[in-house]
Amino acid sequence: MTDLLPLADALTAGLHWLYETEQPADAWMSHHGQQIPTTVNRFLAFVPTAVSSLPVIVIGVVKPAWKEGPRGDMVPTNPLTPIELPRLAAELEQRGYAVRSTWNGFPGATGSVGLARPAHPSQIAAVDRYRAGCQEHPERSVFCECEAWRAGFGRAVAPLSLLTSA
Ligand SMILES: [Zn+2]
């Protein structure tokens, strides 16, 4: 088990992963990116290639609780607070990562920050290999469960494995 990180440390780990970490040429990983839980019922997810092939960082409630809203839709009873998404964007700007845009956030359970600087090319390549699907079983695409397909995920370097090996 990895100990949970404070939010700022999770951000540091995720940014290091996104921009400095090289993925092996025979690894692949889901387009959903890597999620890091934190000590404060928030996760950060780092998505190497989302909008226009640029990275997105998502902040979200780890355990959202839901109730029926006024229009019959489900709304979280413990959403992000109004300042959390702007604060994350400001923190990224302060660390030198230009923000392209933000979306969602309060009163939702997740919010996203789009970054201007592309992720490490090997991170993007690993997602592209995932999108290409299993090469041995093209008909099963990304849903393949063969050993070769699963092994590629195992070769991908995760953000927290950097910390535990350090
Ligand atoms: Zn396969």
Side-chain angles (χ1 to χ4, degrees), residues 5-59:
L5 295 175
L7 199 61
D9 293 347
L11 187 59
T12 301
L15 286 167
H16 183 270
W17 178 79
L18 201 56
Y19 286 113
E20 317 292 337
T21 302
E22 184 150 0
Q23 292 294 347
D26 59 355
W28 42 83
M29 60 193 182
S30 153
H31 55 292
H32 295 305
Q34 293 281 343
Q35 224 182 73
I36 306 179
T38 72
T39 50
V40 290
N41 195 27
R42 297 290 181 268
F43 66 83
L44 291 174
F46 298 83
V47 184
T49 164
V51 186
S52 309
S53 301
L54 292 169
V56 167
I57 298 178
V58 181
I59 182 169

Side-chain angles (χ1 to χ4, degrees), residues 129-147:
R129 278 191 292 275
Y130 167 80
R131 287 186 172 134
C134 181
Q135 299 302 294
E136 291 178 30
H137 309 98
E139 74 283 1
R140 295 185 202 151
S141 178
V142 301
F143 304 108
C144 198
E145 291 182 345
C146 77
E147 207 166 301

Side-chain angles (χ1 to χ4, degrees), residues 111-132:
S112 299
V113 181
L115 295 174
R117 182 179 151 202
H120 193 285
S122 69
Q123 296 280 10
I124 298 171
V127 176
D128 286 344
R129 278 191 292 275
Y130 167 80
R131 287 186 172 134

